Amino acid sequence: MAPKKFYAVKRGRKPGIYFNWADAKAEIDGFQGAVYKGFVSLKDAEEWLNSAAFNTSQTKNSHTPRLDSNTDGITIYTDGGSLGNPGPGGYGAVIIYNNEKKEISGGFRVTTNNRMELMGVIAALRELDPKDKPVTIYSDSSYVVNGINKGWAKSWEKNNWIKSNKEPAINPDLWSELLKLVKPLNVSFVWVKGHSGNPLNERCDELAKSSASKSNLPVDKGYKHKK
């Protein structure tokens, strides 16, 4: 049997693909309901990580506590952008749960890339059902992922939407809603490289671009154009 060189962590402290067992083990040790699997090829690891469902019997071993319980959660991919930044914008999201896929999209007449990246996540979480399952959100926006994972948004909110450099935080309306949506959830944000061949990320990009190109788009009331 060929040695396993890649380890995909689907449920852990930081879901993703690791290139050695020591790094993967650090993300699952002591993490209740961890789900992971070793692979010979990177392609197989990526396909399993991005799949909608998995067989827990394939991943069960002594390193994973309570892996025989129902650990399958909800996977969400999101993307967003605008034409011109600012300009007509759109967002797209794909929600996968229980082997079913739901697509969400929308757009605005004048908005920005970052607002649409945020809206992709917000729109998906608004539709979330059930709300008691672990959620993993994949986004190619460092702005969104770091804003949550590094605690930036919480700090801005705590300081009345003023950043550490004393400048006003941008998009406080959307950040405020996102923080409220994620607060009661068991949610993980994972950054993925955009336009790198990931089929679900590419699909979200298609949905976002299609929405941005539609006519009679609504006004993004939260967007404040800089004079």
Side-chain angles (χ1 to χ4, degrees), residues 116-207:
M116 293 300 92
E117 294 280 13
L118 284 164
M119 272 303 305
V121 179
I122 289 170
L125 293 180
R126 284 174 180 170
E127 298 289 324
L128 206 60
D129 185 28
K131 298 181 183 295
D132 60 346
K133 298 290 184 180
V135 181
T136 303
I137 298 173
Y138 295 90
S139 169
D140 61 14
S141 170
S142 296
Y143 174 69
V144 172
V145 174
N146 289 338
I148 295 296
N149 287 348
K150 295 188 177 182
W152 297 346
K154 283 187 176 180
S155 294
W156 300 336
E157 183 181 48
K158 184 178 180 180
N159 295 320
N160 294 317
W161 301 107
I162 299 297
K163 298 189 294 184
S164 59
N165 62 2
K166 308 305 180 183
E167 294 290 328
I170 302 173
N171 307 316
D173 58 323
L174 298 183
W175 279 116
S176 178
E177 182 173 1
L178 180 56
L179 288 174
K180 290 177 182 177
L181 287 167
V182 302
K183 186 175 182 180
L185 301 174
N186 175 10
V187 59
S188 301
F189 280 75
V190 181
W191 180 83
V192 294
K193 185 177 180 180
H195 309 291
S196 59
N198 184 301
L200 293 176
N201 177 259
E202 297 291 346
R203 178 54 182 160
C204 290
D205 180 66
E206 292 174 358
L207 291 169

Coordinates of all heavy atoms in Angstrom, one line a residue, residues 116-207:
M116 N -19.9 42.8 -1.6 CA -20.5 41.6 -2.2 C -19.9 40.3 -1.6 O -20.6 39.3 -1.5 CB -20.4 41.7 -3.7 CG -21.2 42.8 -4.3 SD -23.0 42.7 -4.0 CE -23.2 43.7 -2.5
E117 N -18.6 40.4 -1.2 CA -18.0 39.2 -0.6 C -18.8 38.9 0.8 O -19.1 37.8 1.1 CB -16.5 39.4 -0.3 CG -15.7 39.5 -1.6 CD -15.4 38.1 -2.2 OE1 -16.0 37.1 -1.8 OE2 -14.5 38.1 -3.0
L118 N -19.0 40.0 1.5 CA -19.8 39.9 2.8 C -21.2 39.4 2.5 O -21.7 38.6 3.2 CB -19.8 41.2 3.5 CG -18.5 41.6 4.2 CD1 -18.5 43.1 4.5 CD2 -18.3 40.8 5.5
M119 N -21.8 40.0 1.5 CA -23.2 39.6 1.2 C -23.4 38.1 0.8 O -24.4 37.5 1.1 CB -23.8 40.5 0.1 CG -24.4 41.8 0.6 SD -25.7 41.6 1.8 CE -26.8 40.5 0.9
G120 N -22.4 37.6 0.2 CA -22.4 36.2 -0.2 C -22.6 35.3 1.1 O -23.4 34.4 1.1
V121 N -21.8 35.6 2.1 CA -21.8 34.9 3.3 C -23.1 35.1 4.1 O -23.8 34.2 4.6 CB -20.6 35.2 4.2 CG1 -20.7 34.5 5.5 CG2 -19.3 35.0 3.5
I122 N -23.5 36.4 4.1 CA -24.7 36.8 4.9 C -26.0 36.1 4.2 O -26.8 35.6 4.9 CB -24.9 38.3 4.9 CG1 -23.8 38.9 5.8 CG2 -26.3 38.7 5.3 CD1 -23.7 40.4 5.7
A123 N -26.1 36.2 2.9 CA -27.2 35.6 2.2 C -27.3 34.1 2.5 O -28.4 33.6 2.7 CB -27.1 35.9 0.7
A124 N -26.2 33.4 2.5 CA -26.2 32.0 2.8 C -26.6 31.7 4.2 O -27.5 30.8 4.4 CB -24.8 31.4 2.5
L125 N -26.1 32.4 5.2 CA -26.5 32.2 6.6 C -27.9 32.6 6.9 O -28.5 32.0 7.7 CB -25.5 33.0 7.5 CG -24.1 32.5 7.5 CD1 -23.2 33.4 8.4 CD2 -24.0 31.1 7.9
R126 N -28.5 33.5 6.1 CA -29.9 33.9 6.3 C -30.8 32.7 5.9 O -31.8 32.5 6.5 CB -30.3 35.0 5.4 CG -29.8 36.4 5.9 CD -30.1 37.4 4.8 NE -29.7 38.8 5.1 CZ -29.7 39.8 4.3 NH1 -30.1 39.6 3.0 NH2 -29.3 41.0 4.7
E127 N -30.3 31.9 5.0 CA -31.1 30.7 4.5 C -30.8 29.5 5.2 O -31.4 28.4 5.0 CB -30.8 30.5 3.0 CG -31.1 31.7 2.1 CD -32.6 31.8 1.9 OE1 -33.3 30.8 1.9 OE2 -33.1 32.9 1.8
L128 N -29.9 29.5 6.2 CA -29.4 28.3 6.8 C -30.5 27.5 7.5 O -31.3 28.1 8.4 CB -28.3 28.6 7.8 CG -27.3 27.5 8.1 CD1 -26.6 27.1 6.9 CD2 -26.3 28.1 9.2
D129 N -30.7 26.3 7.2 CA -31.6 25.4 7.9 C -31.1 24.0 7.7 O -31.0 23.5 6.6 CB -33.0 25.6 7.3 CG -34.1 24.8 8.0 OD1 -33.9 24.5 9.2 OD2 -35.1 24.4 7.4
P130 N -30.8 23.2 8.7 CA -31.0 23.6 10.2 C -29.9 24.5 10.7 O -28.9 24.7 9.9 CB -30.9 22.2 10.9 CG -30.0 21.5 10.0 CD -30.3 21.9 8.6
K131 N -30.0 25.0 11.9 CA -29.1 26.0 12.4 C -28.3 25.3 13.6 O -27.5 26.0 14.2 CB -29.8 27.2 13.0 CG -30.5 28.0 11.9 CD -31.2 29.2 12.4 CE -31.9 30.0 11.4 NZ -31.1 30.6 10.3
D132 N -28.5 24.0 13.8 CA -27.8 23.4 14.9 C -26.7 22.4 14.4 O -26.2 21.6 15.2 CB -28.8 22.6 15.8 CG -29.5 21.5 15.0 OD1 -29.5 21.5 13.7 OD2 -30.2 20.6 15.6
K133 N -26.3 22.5 13.2 CA -25.2 21.7 12.6 C -24.0 22.6 12.5 O -24.0 23.8 12.3 CB -25.6 21.2 11.2 CG -26.9 20.3 11.2 CD -26.6 19.0 11.9 CE -27.8 18.0 11.8 NZ -27.5 16.7 12.5
P134 N -22.8 21.9 12.6 CA -21.5 22.7 12.3 C -21.5 23.2 10.9 O -21.9 22.5 9.9 CB -20.5 21.6 12.6 CG -21.1 20.3 12.5 CD -22.6 20.5 12.9
V135 N -21.0 24.3 10.7 CA -21.0 25.0 9.4 C -19.5 25.3 9.0 O -18.8 25.9 9.8 CB -21.8 26.3 9.4 CG1 -21.8 26.9 8.0 CG2 -23.2 26.0 9.8
T136 N -19.1 25.0 7.8 CA -17.8 25.4 7.3 C -18.0 26.3 6.1 O -18.7 25.9 5.1 CB -17.0 24.2 6.9 OG1 -16.8 23.4 8.0 CG2 -15.6 24.7 6.4
I137 N -17.5 27.5 6.1 CA -17.7 28.5 5.1 C -16.4 28.7 4.3 O -15.3 29.0 5.0 CB -18.2 29.9 5.6 CG1 -19.5 29.7 6.3 CG2 -18.2 30.9 4.5 CD1 -20.0 30.9 7.0
Y138 N -16.4 28.5 3.0 CA -15.2 28.7 2.2 C -15.3 29.9 1.4 O -16.3 30.1 0.7 CB -15.0 27.5 1.3 CG -14.7 26.2 2.0 CD1 -15.7 25.3 2.4 CD2 -13.4 25.8 2.3 CE1 -15.5 24.1 3.0 CE2 -13.1 24.6 2.9 CZ -14.1 23.8 3.3 OH -13.9 22.6 4.0
S139 N -14.4 30.8 1.5 CA -14.4 32.1 0.8 C -13.0 32.4 0.3 O -12.0 32.1 1.0 CB -14.9 33.2 1.7 OG -14.7 34.5 1.2
D140 N -12.9 33.1 -0.9 CA -11.6 33.5 -1.4 C -11.3 34.9 -1.0 O -10.3 35.5 -1.5 CB -11.5 33.3 -2.9 CG -12.5 34.1 -3.7 OD1 -13.2 35.0 -3.1 OD2 -12.7 33.9 -4.9
S141 N -12.1 35.5 0.0 CA -11.9 36.8 0.4 C -11.1 36.8 1.8 O -11.7 36.5 2.8 CB -13.2 37.6 0.6 OG -13.1 38.8 1.3
S142 N -9.9 37.3 1.7 CA -9.1 37.4 3.0 C -9.8 38.5 3.9 O -9.7 38.3 5.1 CB -7.7 37.9 2.6 OG -7.0 36.9 1.9
Y143 N -10.4 39.5 3.3 CA -11.1 40.5 4.0 C -12.2 39.9 4.9 O -12.3 40.2 6.1 CB -11.7 41.5 3.0 CG -12.6 42.5 3.6 CD1 -12.1 43.6 4.4 CD2 -14.0 42.5 3.3 CE1 -12.9 44.6 4.9 CE2 -14.8 43.5 3.8 CZ -14.3 44.6 4.6 OH -15.1 45.5 5.0
V144 N -12.9 39.0 4.4 CA -14.0 38.3 5.1 C -13.5 37.3 6.1 O -13.8 37.3 7.3 CB -15.0 37.6 4.2 CG1 -16.0 36.8 5.0 CG2 -15.7 38.7 3.3
V145 N -12.6 36.4 5.7 CA -12.1 35.4 6.5 C -11.3 35.9 7.7 O -11.5 35.5 8.9 CB -11.3 34.4 5.7 CG1 -10.6 33.3 6.6 CG2 -12.1 33.7 4.7
N146 N -10.4 36.9 7.4 CA -9.6 37.4 8.5 C -10.4 38.3 9.4 O -10.1 38.4 10.6 CB -8.4 38.3 7.9 CG -7.4 37.4 7.2 OD1 -7.2 36.2 7.6 ND2 -6.6 38.0 6.3
G147 N -11.4 39.0 8.8 CA -12.3 39.8 9.7 C -12.9 39.0 10.8 O -13.2 39.5 11.9
I148 N -13.3 37.7 10.5 CA -13.9 36.9 11.5 C -12.8 36.1 12.3 O -12.7 36.2 13.5 CB -14.8 35.9 10.9 CG1 -16.0 36.6 10.2 CG2 -15.3 34.9 11.9 CD1 -16.9 37.3 11.2
N149 N -11.9 35.4 11.6 CA -10.9 34.6 12.3 C -9.9 35.3 13.2 O -9.5 34.8 14.2 CB -10.2 33.7 11.3 CG -11.0 32.6 10.7 OD1 -12.1 32.3 11.2 ND2 -10.5 32.0 9.6
K150 N -9.6 36.5 12.8 CA -8.6 37.3 13.5 C -9.3 38.3 14.5 O -8.6 39.1 15.2 CB -7.7 38.1 12.6 CG -6.8 37.1 11.8 CD -5.7 37.9 11.0 CE -4.8 36.9 10.2 NZ -3.8 37.6 9.5
G151 N -10.6 38.3 14.5 CA -11.3 39.1 15.5 C -11.4 40.6 15.2 O -11.8 41.4 16.0
W152 N -11.1 40.9 13.9 CA -11.1 42.3 13.6 C -12.5 42.9 13.7 O -12.7 44.0 14.3 CB -10.6 42.5 12.1 CG -9.2 42.1 11.9 CD1 -8.3 41.9 12.8 CD2 -8.6 41.9 10.6 NE1 -7.1 41.6 12.2 CE2 -7.3 41.6 10.8 CE3 -9.0 42.0 9.3 CZ2 -6.4 41.3 9.8 CZ3 -8.2 41.8 8.3 CH2 -6.8 41.4 8.5
A153 N -13.5 42.2 13.2 CA -14.9 42.7 13.2 C -15.4 42.9 14.6 O -16.1 43.9 14.9 CB -15.8 41.8 12.4
K154 N -15.1 42.0 15.5 CA -15.6 42.1 16.8 C -14.9 43.3 17.5 O -15.6 44.0 18.3 CB -15.2 40.8 17.6 CG -16.1 39.7 17.4 CD -15.8 38.5 18.3 CE -16.8 37.4 18.1 NZ -16.6 36.2 19.0
S155 N -13.6 43.6 17.2 CA -13.0 44.7 17.8 C -13.6 46.0 17.3 O -13.8 47.0 18.0 CB -11.5 44.7 17.5 OG -10.8 43.6 18.1
W156 N -13.8 46.1 16.0 CA -14.5 47.3 15.4 C -15.8 47.5 16.0 O -16.1 48.7 16.4 CB -14.6 47.1 13.9 CG -13.4 46.9 13.1 CD1 -12.1 47.3 13.5 CD2 -13.2 46.2 11.9 NE1 -11.2 46.9 12.6 CE2 -11.8 46.2 11.5 CE3 -14.1 45.6 11.0 CZ2 -11.3 45.7 10.4 CZ3 -13.6 45.1 9.8 CH2 -12.3 45.1 9.5
E157 N -16.6 46.5 16.2 CA -17.9 46.6 16.8 C -17.8 47.1 18.2 O -18.5 48.0 18.7 CB -18.7 45.3 16.8 CG -20.1 45.4 17.3 CD -20.8 44.1 17.3 OE1 -20.2 43.1 17.7 OE2 -21.9 44.0 16.8
K158 N -16.9 46.6 19.0 CA -16.7 46.9 20.4 C -16.3 48.4 20.5 O -16.6 49.1 21.5 CB -15.6 46.0 21.0 CG -15.4 46.3 22.5 CD -14.3 45.3 23.0 CE -14.1 45.6 24.5 NZ -13.0 44.6 25.0
N159 N -15.5 48.9 19.5 CA -15.1 50.3 19.5 C -15.9 51.2 18.7 O -15.5 52.2 18.2 CB -13.6 50.4 19.0 CG -12.6 49.6 19.9 OD1 -12.7 49.7 21.1 ND2 -11.7 48.9 19.3
N160 N -17.2 50.8 18.6 CA -18.2 51.7 17.8 C -17.8 51.9 16.4 O -17.9 53.0 15.8 CB -18.4 53.0 18.5 CG -19.1 52.9 19.9 OD1 -20.1 52.1 20.0 ND2 -18.6 53.6 20.9
W161 N -17.2 50.8 15.8 CA -16.9 50.8 14.4 C -15.8 51.7 14.1 O -15.7 52.4 13.0 CB -18.1 50.9 13.5 CG -19.1 49.9 13.8 CD1 -20.3 50.0 14.4 CD2 -19.0 48.5 13.4 NE1 -20.9 48.8 14.5 CE2 -20.1 47.8 13.9 CE3 -18.0 47.7 12.8 CZ2 -20.3 46.4 13.8 CZ3 -18.2 46.3 12.7 CH2 -19.3 45.7 13.2
I162 N -14.8 51.9 15.0 CA -13.6 52.6 14.8 C -12.4 51.6 14.9 O -12.3 50.9 15.8 CB -13.4 53.7 15.8 CG1 -14.5 54.7 15.8 CG2 -12.0 54.4 15.6 CD1 -14.6 55.5 14.4
K163 N -11.5 51.7 13.9 CA -10.4 50.7 13.8 C -9.3 51.2 14.7 O -9.3 52.3 15.3 CB -9.9 50.6 12.4 CG -10.9 50.1 11.4 CD -10.4 49.7 10.0 CE -9.9 51.0 9.3 NZ -9.5 50.7 7.9
S164 N -8.3 50.4 14.9 CA -7.2 50.7 15.8 C -6.4 51.9 15.3 O -5.7 52.6 16.1 CB -6.2 49.5 15.9 OG -5.7 49.1 14.6
N165 N -6.5 52.2 14.0 CA -5.8 53.4 13.5 C -6.7 54.7 13.6 O -6.3 55.7 13.0 CB -5.3 53.2 12.0 CG -6.5 53.0 11.1 OD1 -7.7 53.0 11.5 ND2 -6.2 52.7 9.8
K166 N -7.8 54.5 14.3 CA -8.7 55.7 14.5 C -9.6 56.0 13.3 O -10.3 57.0 13.3 CB -8.0 56.9 15.0 CG -7.1 56.7 16.2 CD -7.8 56.0 17.4 CE -6.9 55.8 18.6 NZ -7.6 55.1 19.7
E167 N -9.4 55.3 12.2 CA -10.3 55.5 11.1 C -11.6 54.7 11.2 O -11.6 53.6 11.8 CB -9.5 55.0 9.8 CG -8.3 55.8 9.5 CD -8.6 57.2 9.0 OE1 -9.7 57.3 8.3 OE2 -7.8 58.1 9.2
P168 N -12.7 55.2 10.6 CA -13.9 54.4 10.6 C -13.8 53.1 9.9 O -13.2 53.0 8.9 CB -14.9 55.4 9.9 CG -14.3 56.7 9.9 CD -12.8 56.5 9.9
A169 N -14.4 52.1 10.5 CA -14.5 50.8 9.8 C -15.4 50.8 8.6 O -16.4 51.5 8.7 CB -14.9 49.7 10.8
I170 N -15.0 50.2 7.6 CA -15.9 50.2 6.3 C -16.9 49.0 6.4 O -16.6 48.0 6.9 CB -15.0 50.0 5.1 CG1 -13.9 51.2 5.1 CG2 -15.8 50.0 3.8 CD1 -12.9 51.0 4.0
N171 N -18.1 49.3 5.9 CA -19.1 48.3 5.8 C -19.6 47.8 7.2 O -19.9 46.6 7.4 CB -18.7 47.1 5.0 CG -18.2 47.5 3.6 OD1 -18.8 48.3 3.0 ND2 -17.1 46.9 3.2
P172 N -19.8 48.7 8.1 CA -20.3 48.3 9.5 C -21.7 47.7 9.5 O -21.9 46.8 10.3 CB -20.3 49.6 10.3 CG -20.4 50.7 9.3 CD -19.7 50.2 8.1
D173 N -22.5 48.1 8.5 CA -23.9 47.5 8.5 C -23.8 46.0 8.2 O -24.5 45.2 8.8 CB -24.7 48.2 7.4 CG -24.1 48.2 6.0 OD1 -22.9 48.2 5.9 OD2 -24.9 48.0 5.0
L174 N -22.9 45.6 7.2 CA -22.8 44.2 6.9 C -22.1 43.4 7.9 O -22.4 42.3 8.2 CB -22.2 44.0 5.5 CG -23.0 44.7 4.3 CD1 -22.3 44.4 3.0 CD2 -24.4 44.2 4.3
W175 N -21.0 44.0 8.4 CA -20.2 43.3 9.5 C -21.1 43.0 10.7 O -21.0 42.0 11.3 CB -19.0 44.1 9.9 CG -17.8 43.9 9.0 CD1 -17.2 44.9 8.2 CD2 -17.1 42.7 8.7 NE1 -16.2 44.4 7.5 CE2 -16.1 43.0 7.8 CE3 -17.2 41.4 9.2 CZ2 -15.2 42.1 7.3 CZ3 -16.3 40.5 8.7 CH2 -15.3 40.8 7.8
S176 N -21.9 44.0 11.0 CA -22.8 43.9 12.2 C -23.8 42.7 12.0 O -24.0 41.9 12.9 CB -23.6 45.2 12.4 OG -24.5 45.0 13.5
E177 N -24.4 42.6 10.8 CA -25.3 41.5 10.6 C -24.6 40.2 10.6 O -25.1 39.2 11.1 CB -26.0 41.7 9.2 CG -27.0 40.6 9.0 CD -27.9 40.9 7.8 OE1 -27.7 41.9 7.1 OE2 -28.8 40.0 7.5
L178 N -23.4 40.2 10.0 CA -22.7 38.9 9.9 C -22.3 38.4 11.3 O -22.4 37.2 11.6 CB -21.4 39.1 9.1 CG -20.5 37.8 8.9 CD1 -21.3 36.7 8.3 CD2 -19.3 38.1 8.0
L179 N -21.9 39.3 12.2 CA -21.6 38.9 13.5 C -22.8 38.3 14.3 O -22.7 37.4 15.0 CB -21.0 40.1 14.3 CG -19.6 40.5 13.9 CD1 -19.2 41.8 14.7 CD2 -18.5 39.4 14.2
K180 N -23.9 38.9 14.0 CA -25.2 38.4 14.7 C -25.5 37.0 14.2 O -26.0 36.2 14.9 CB -26.3 39.4 14.4 CG -26.2 40.7 15.2 CD -27.3 41.7 14.8 CE -27.2 43.0 15.5 NZ -28.3 43.9 15.2
L181 N -25.3 36.8 12.9 CA -25.6 35.5 12.3 C -24.7 34.4 12.7 O -25.2 33.3 12.9 CB -25.6 35.7 10.7 CG -26.7 36.4 10.1 CD1 -26.4 36.7 8.6 CD2 -28.0 35.7 10.2
V182 N -23.4 34.7 12.9 CA -22.5 33.6 13.3 C -22.5 33.4 14.8 O -22.0 32.3 15.2 CB -21.1 34.0 12.8 CG1 -21.0 34.1 11.3 CG2 -20.5 35.2 13.5
K183 N -22.9 34.3 15.6 CA -22.8 34.2 17.0 C -23.4 32.9 17.6 O -22.8 32.2 18.4 CB -23.5 35.4 17.7 CG -23.3 35.4 19.2 CD -23.8 36.7 19.8 CE -23.5 36.7 21.3 NZ -24.1 38.0 22.0
P184 N -24.6 32.5 17.2 CA -25.2 31.3 17.7 C -24.8 30.0 17.1 O -25.2 28.9 17.4 CB -26.7 31.5 17.5 CG -26.8 32.3 16.3 CD -25.6 33.2 16.3
L185 N -23.9 30.1 16.1 CA -23.5 28.9 15.2 C -22.2 28.4 15.6 O -21.3 29.0 16.2 CB -23.5 29.3 13.8 CG -24.8 29.8 13.2 CD1 -24.6 30.3 11.7 CD2 -25.9 28.8 13.2
N186 N -22.0 27.1 15.3 CA -20.7 26.4 15.3 C -20.1 26.5 13.9 O -20.3 25.7 13.1 CB -20.8 25.0 15.8 CG -19.5 24.2 15.7 OD1 -18.4 24.8 15.5 ND2 -19.6 22.9 15.9
V187 N -19.4 27.6 13.6 CA -19.0 28.0 12.3 C -17.5 28.1 12.2 O -16.9 28.7 13.1 CB -19.8 29.2 11.8 CG1 -19.5 30.4 12.6 CG2 -19.4 29.5 10.3
S188 N -17.0 27.7 11.0 CA -15.5 27.8 10.7 C -15.4 28.5 9.4 O -16.1 28.2 8.4 CB -14.8 26.5 10.6 OG -14.9 25.8 11.9
F189 N -14.5 29.5 9.3 CA -14.3 30.2 8.1 C -12.9 29.8 7.5 O -11.9 29.8 8.2 CB -14.2 31.7 8.3 CG -15.6 32.4 8.4 CD1 -16.4 32.2 9.5 CD2 -16.1 33.1 7.3 CE1 -17.6 32.8 9.6 CE2 -17.3 33.7 7.4 CZ -18.1 33.6 8.5
V190 N -12.9 29.4 6.3 CA -11.7 28.9 5.6 C -11.4 29.7 4.3 O -12.3 29.8 3.5 CB -11.8 27.4 5.3 CG1 -10.6 26.8 4.7 CG2 -12.2 26.6 6.5
W191 N -10.2 30.2 4.2 CA -9.8 30.9 3.0 C -9.4 29.9 1.9 O -8.7 28.9 2.2 CB -8.7 31.8 3.2 CG -8.3 32.6 2.0 CD1 -8.8 33.7 1.5 CD2 -7.2 32.2 1.1 NE1 -8.2 34.1 0.3 CE2 -7.2 33.2 0.1 CE3 -6.3 31.2 1.1 CZ2 -6.3 33.1 -1.0 CZ3 -5.4 31.1 0.0 CH2 -5.4 32.1 -1.0
V192 N -9.9 30.1 0.7 CA -9.5 29.3 -0.5 C -9.0 30.2 -1.6 O -9.5 31.3 -1.7 CB -10.7 28.4 -1.0 CG1 -11.1 27.4 0.0 CG2 -11.9 29.3 -1.4
K193 N -8.1 29.7 -2.3 CA -7.5 30.5 -3.4 C -8.6 30.6 -4.5 O -9.1 29.6 -5.0 CB -6.2 29.9 -4.0 CG -5.6 30.7 -5.0 CD -4.3 30.1 -5.5 CE -3.6 30.9 -6.5 NZ -2.3 30.4 -7.0
G194 N -8.9 31.8 -5.0 CA -9.9 32.0 -6.0 C -9.3 31.7 -7.4 O -8.1 31.7 -7.6
H195 N -10.2 31.3 -8.3 CA -9.9 31.0 -9.7 C -8.7 30.0 -9.8 O -7.8 30.1 -10.6 CB -9.5 32.3 -10.4 CG -10.5 33.4 -10.3 ND1 -11.7 33.3 -10.9 CD2 -10.4 34.6 -9.6 CE1 -12.4 34.4 -10.5 NE2 -11.6 35.2 -9.7
S196 N -8.8 29.0 -9.0 CA -7.8 27.9 -9.0 C -8.3 26.6 -9.4 O -7.7 25.5 -9.1 CB -7.1 27.8 -7.6 OG -8.1 27.5 -6.6
G197 N -9.5 26.6 -10.0 CA -10.1 25.3 -10.4 C -11.0 24.6 -9.5 O -11.5 23.5 -9.8
N198 N -11.2 25.2 -8.3 CA -12.2 24.6 -7.3 C -13.6 24.8 -7.9 O -14.1 25.9 -8.1 CB -12.1 25.3 -6.0 CG -13.0 24.7 -4.9 OD1 -14.2 24.6 -5.1 ND2 -12.4 24.2 -3.8
P199 N -14.3 23.7 -8.2 CA -15.6 23.8 -8.9 C -16.7 24.6 -8.2 O -17.4 25.3 -8.8 CB -16.0 22.3 -9.1 CG -15.3 21.6 -8.1 CD -14.0 22.3 -7.9
L200 N -16.7 24.5 -6.8 CA -17.7 25.2 -6.1 C -17.4 26.7 -6.0 O -18.3 27.5 -6.1 CB -17.9 24.6 -4.7 CG -18.5 23.2 -4.7 CD1 -18.5 22.6 -3.3 CD2 -19.9 23.2 -5.3
N201 N -16.1 27.0 -5.8 CA -15.7 28.4 -5.9 C -16.0 29.0 -7.2 O -16.4 30.2 -7.3 CB -14.2 28.5 -5.5 CG -13.7 30.0 -5.5 OD1 -13.1 30.4 -6.5 ND2 -14.0 30.7 -4.5
E202 N -15.7 28.3 -8.3 CA -15.9 28.8 -9.6 C -17.4 29.0 -9.9 O -17.8 30.0 -10.5 CB -15.4 27.8 -10.6 CG -13.9 27.6 -10.6 CD -13.1 28.9 -11.0 OE1 -13.7 29.8 -11.6 OE2 -11.9 29.0 -10.8
R203 N -18.3 28.1 -9.3 CA -19.7 28.3 -9.5 C -20.2 29.5 -8.8 O -21.0 30.2 -9.4 CB -20.4 27.0 -8.9 CG -21.9 27.1 -9.0 CD -22.4 27.4 -10.5 NE -23.9 27.5 -10.5 CZ -24.5 28.1 -11.5 NH1 -23.8 28.7 -12.6 NH2 -25.8 28.2 -11.6
C204 N -19.7 29.8 -7.6 CA -20.1 31.0 -6.9 C -19.7 32.3 -7.7 O -20.4 33.2 -7.7 CB -19.5 31.0 -5.5 SG -20.2 29.8 -4.4
D205 N -18.5 32.2 -8.3 CA -18.0 33.3 -9.1 C -19.0 33.5 -10.3 O -19.3 34.7 -10.7 CB -16.6 33.0 -9.6 CG -16.1 34.1 -10.5 OD1 -15.8 35.2 -10.0 OD2 -15.8 33.9 -11.7
E206 N -19.4 32.4 -10.9 CA -20.4 32.5 -12.0 C -21.7 33.2 -11.6 O -22.2 34.0 -12.3 CB -20.7 31.2 -12.6 CG -19.5 30.5 -13.3 CD -19.8 29.1 -13.8 OE1 -20.9 28.6 -13.5 OE2 -18.9 28.5 -14.4
L207 N -22.2 32.8 -10.4 CA -23.4 33.3 -9.9 C -23.3 34.8 -9.6 O -24.2 35.6 -9.9 CB -23.8 32.6 -8.6 CG -24.3 31.1 -8.8 CD1 -24.4 30.5 -7.4 CD2 -25.6 31.0 -9.5

